[in-house]
Amino acid sequence: SGDMMVLVRTPDVDDSSLVSPLGNALALQHMRGKQRRFEFQFQVRLKKIPTGTVFFSCDLMQPIKLGLVQKAFVSAAMSFVRSSNPSFNYSIQGSVPKEDGSYEIPHMAFPVQDGMNRVVATPPGEEPPILGQSIEEDAESLKRRKKGIHIEWNLTDTFTFSLWSAYVDFLEWRVMMPGIRPFS
């Protein structure tokens, strides 16, 4: 069980002369001075201890129809993501069903401990980070995750996760990679 907050960079973050929509104050304050275009924040308490690796994944029910040039750009973008996160897994088109009926749907996925920018475990009785503000992970925890030491899941802590990127603009629905012209 838990909560999620999606923060998206709007034009008023960088141009204070623009009128901000009501309810945008948290996103404005949080995004100002940062390069990120979006940030997803999650706060959960587990009902069951996971077995195996926990993934953050975005799946599509059908393949995206891409032209040759678009496919090359998307492949370049996915390779760029994988270069900074080797455990990142993706399939743009999915796969044809096999004889046993199994197939791979189009997806992007990575293990939570490898791909999340911040992971904070808050024990009972302590106040977890407030969603919509900076999620600060203990330097030792971050170092352990980067070394591949698994998160110690439990049913008592509140887990807070943060994922952000400067390379995806959800308002304009485009990818903005260094050295490549932005594309839809």
Side-chain angles (χ1 to χ4, degrees):
S1 64
D3 294 304
M4 175 181 174
M5 179 171 274
V6 176
L7 299 150
V8 177
R9 182 181 214 89
T10 53
D12 51 346
V13 169
D14 303 308
D15 184 351
S16 57
S17 70
L18 296 173
V19 176
S20 299
L22 273 173
N24 200 35
L26 276 178
L28 267 175
Q29 184 178 359
H30 181 67
M31 294 292 203
R32 197 163 272 145
K34 296 178 174 82
Q35 294 299 311
R36 51 190 86 152
R37 296 265 164 208
F38 74 86
E39 183 170 344
F40 299 148
Q41 296 181 347
F42 309 90
Q43 200 162 68
V44 300
R45 286 210 37 218
L46 300 176
K47 294 181 178 183
K48 178 175 143 182
I49 295 179
T51 57
T53 304
V54 176
F55 284 87
F56 178 82
S57 176
C58 299
D59 302 334
L60 299 173
M61 296 313 295
Q62 357 181 320
I64 301 170
K65 293 180 181 9
L66 299 172
L68 192 59
V69 173
Q70 288 174 312
K71 194 172 186 177
F73 278 127
V74 171
S75 293
M78 297 293 104
S79 294
F80 176 74
V81 172
R82 183 176 275 162
S83 72
S84 63
N85 188 344
S87 60
F88 177 71
N89 181 285
Y90 67 93
S91 175
I92 298 168
Q93 298 296 311
S95 66
V96 177
K98 298 174 185 166
E99 287 181 24
D100 66 359
S102 67
Y103 63 94
E104 183 177 57
I105 62 174
H107 70 279
M108 296 182 293
F110 56 80
V112 166
Q113 76 174 42
D114 297 340
M116 289 291 171
N117 296 99
R118 298 291 180 263
V119 176
V120 176
T122 307
E126 291 184 24
E127 198 64 38
I130 298 170
L131 297 184
Q133 297 180 8
S134 289
I135 307 299
E136 301 297 332
E137 182 174 3
D138 174 79
E140 197 56 40
S141 169
L142 186 58
K143 191 186 306 181
R144 282 193 310 272
R145 284 194 308 114
K146 297 304 175 192
K147 285 183 178 177
I149 298 171
H150 293 280
I151 297 169
E152 294 181 25
W153 301 109
N154 63 64
L155 303 180
T156 57
D157 289 353
T158 299
F159 291 93
T160 306
F161 308 101
S162 180
L163 171 69
W164 65 74
S165 176
Y167 306 117
V168 178
D169 183 341
F170 285 111
L171 289 183
E172 299 292 328
W173 207 245
R174 60 187 180 162
V175 176
M176 303 170 60
M177 292 177 19
I180 297 177
R181 189 171 160 203
F183 61 93
S184 297

